[in-house]
């Protein structure tokens, strides 16, 4: 098991986060996907992503990224509600339902954290919350500072919001 993420200097985190976010946003993927970016503050953004059902219907989701540990660790990542950016409730329209998951990803409505709490978890090695739980990832999957950026986090979440994984909104 790896150590738990610890906060980094907020100014350094904000500068690195902004630089990586700008580079990612200037890339083609965000433009092709009609994604939208909402900057909350220097350490937090929300990205509006679109899920695609097997019948081709698109549904919007909001992924919040936090840079409290960035880029020593991956960004915090969670689905949020669009009206106030608060964490989406599992089982709500803002929490996706997955038909299946790839071996590298899990979506948990409630998961035990090291601090004793139970919270939702986007369970993959490019999300800081993963390292706040008792996981023991294989070395080749672990976040590597200087090699990985928030682009990996966003792209992985976008991948599970497509067939064959995505099965619609949880509240339906």
């Amino acid at each position: 098991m790896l150590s738990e993420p610890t906060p980094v200097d907020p100014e350094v985190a904000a500068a690195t986060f902004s630089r990586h976010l700008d580079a990612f946003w200037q890339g083609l993927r965000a433009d092709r996907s009609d994604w939208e970016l909402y900057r909350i503050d220097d350490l937090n953004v929300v990205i509006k992503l679109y899920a695609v059902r097997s019948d081709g219907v698109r549904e919007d989701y909001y992924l919040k990224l936090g840079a409290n540990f960035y880029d020593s660790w991956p960004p915090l990542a969670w689905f949020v509600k669009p009206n106030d950016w608060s964490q989406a409730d599992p089982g709500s329209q803002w929490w996706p339902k997955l038909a299946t998951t790839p071996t590298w990803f899990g979506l948990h409505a409630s998961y035990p954290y090291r601090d004793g709490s139970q919270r939702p978890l986007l369970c993959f090695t490019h999300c800081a919350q993963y390292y706040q739980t008792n996981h023991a990832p294989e070395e080749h999957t672990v976040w590597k500072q200087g090699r990985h950026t928030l682009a990996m986090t966003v792209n992985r979440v976008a991948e599970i919001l497509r067939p064959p994984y995505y099965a619609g909104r949880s509240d339906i």
Side-chain angles (χ1 to χ4, degrees):
M1 181 172 20
L2 297 172
S3 62
E4 190 167 349
T6 55
V8 298
D9 180 286
E11 289 182 26
V12 173
T16 305
F17 189 63
S18 181
R19 188 172 67 251
H20 290 176
L21 184 64
D22 290 346
F24 173 66
W25 209 254
Q26 290 170 5
L28 296 176
R29 176 133 196 188
D31 291 340
R32 280 196 317 258
S33 301
D34 297 326
W35 295 350
E36 295 176 25
L37 176 64
Y38 304 92
R39 294 180 188 264
I40 308 302
D41 56 39
D42 290 344
L43 295 174
N44 293 280
V45 300
V46 173
I47 299 174
K48 180 181 182 181
L49 303 171
Y50 288 95
V52 179
R53 296 189 326 214
S54 59
D55 62 5
V57 172
R58 288 177 13 142
E59 298 173 325
D60 56 333
Y61 285 91
Y62 297 83
L63 178 70
K64 186 173 182 180
L65 301 178
N68 305 60
F69 312 112
Y70 197 75
D71 76 328
S72 296
W73 297 92
L76 293 158
W78 54 102
F79 289 109
V80 295
K81 299 178 231 176
N83 59 334
D84 63 3
W85 306 137
S86 64
Q87 187 163 7
D89 299 315
S92 75
Q93 70 178 10
W94 305 114
W95 186 266
K97 179 172 43 177
L98 302 179
T100 184
T101 56
T103 58
W104 51 262
F105 187 87
L107 184 61
H108 304 289
S110 181
Y111 201 88
Y113 283 69
R114 291 184 193 178
D115 65 5
S117 66
Q118 294 267 339
R119 298 190 306 265
L121 176 65
L122 279 73
C123 187
F124 66 117
T125 59
H126 291 74
C127 171
Q129 292 98 314
Y130 176 90
Y131 299 97
Q132 295 173 331
T133 64
N134 287 323
H135 283 92
E138 296 179 33
E139 181 58 34
H140 73 279
T141 67
V142 173
W143 177 268
K144 304 269 190 302
Q145 182 181 25
R147 180 173 171 218
H148 295 126
T149 71
L150 59 87
M152 178 66 92
T153 306
V154 177
N155 286 329
R156 288 298 203 175
V157 171
E159 185 176 344
I160 62 104
L161 293 176
R162 304 245 181 285
Y165 311 118
Y166 183 68
R169 297 193 183 276
S170 287
D171 69 335
I172 298 175

